[in-house]
Amino acid sequence: MTTELATRDLPKDEKTGLTLPLSASLTSQELAQHRAMVALELEVLAKKYDRFGWERDRGSVAHDRMITDWMDAFQDYPLDEVRSACAAAVLENPNNMPNEGHIRAEIAKVLNSLP
């Protein structure tokens, strides 16, 4: 799924060339798979920082809510953009676990730098 979506020609805005929101262009099954990959990015970040008792809280309502919040925040962004933004946030501030706002700010930096 990851490779298929990454290499698939997704609809783009004619003026900017940016990928349009994925929730409008993916099938419900593709969107569910994409959201699961976004959740994996949160899992990776949490493990890197070993924050919030991540493993201890697995399966709790709070843990599930954090994952859902991430999926909701990034479901419209291509996975490579989310991954790049996560990597940039880690490099920019390696001592603090980034949240959705940090990652969206990193994505915005890239989008704002485009011609």
Side-chain angles (χ1 to χ4, degrees):
M1 159 53 194
T2 325
T3 307
E4 175 188 328
L5 186 56
T7 58
R8 186 170 133 190
D9 190 21
L10 297 168
K12 302 203 182 293
D13 182 278
E14 291 178 19
K15 292 180 183 178
T16 65
L18 299 174
T19 302
L20 293 173
L22 295 181
S23 61
S25 59
L26 299 178
T27 66
S28 60
Q29 183 176 5
E30 289 172 327
L31 184 59
Q33 291 172 334
H34 176 66
R35 287 173 57 89
M37 294 305 298
V38 167
L40 176 64
E41 293 308 310
L42 171 60
E43 292 275 354
V44 169
L45 278 174
K47 287 185 180 292
K48 283 181 181 181
Y49 287 94
D50 193 28
R51 302 286 185 168
F52 314 120
W54 194 250
E55 291 302 321
R56 182 189 69 233
D57 289 345
R58 185 169 298 283
S60 71
V61 175
H63 185 272
D64 293 348
R65 170 68 186 276
M66 285 180 63
I67 292 173
T68 300
D69 287 352
W70 269 69
M71 291 187 304
D72 291 346
F74 300 112
Q75 73 178 6
D76 285 327
Y77 296 96
L79 193 58
D80 59 334
E81 287 181 16
V82 175
R83 282 186 180 141
S84 295
C86 287
V90 167
L91 291 174
E92 188 171 304
N93 194 353
N95 295 324
N96 294 307
M97 170 74 178
N99 62 36
E100 300 93 325
H102 295 115
I103 304 306
R104 287 193 90 163
E106 291 297 331
I107 292 171
K109 285 180 191 176
V110 172
L111 296 179
N112 291 332
S113 69
L114 297 175

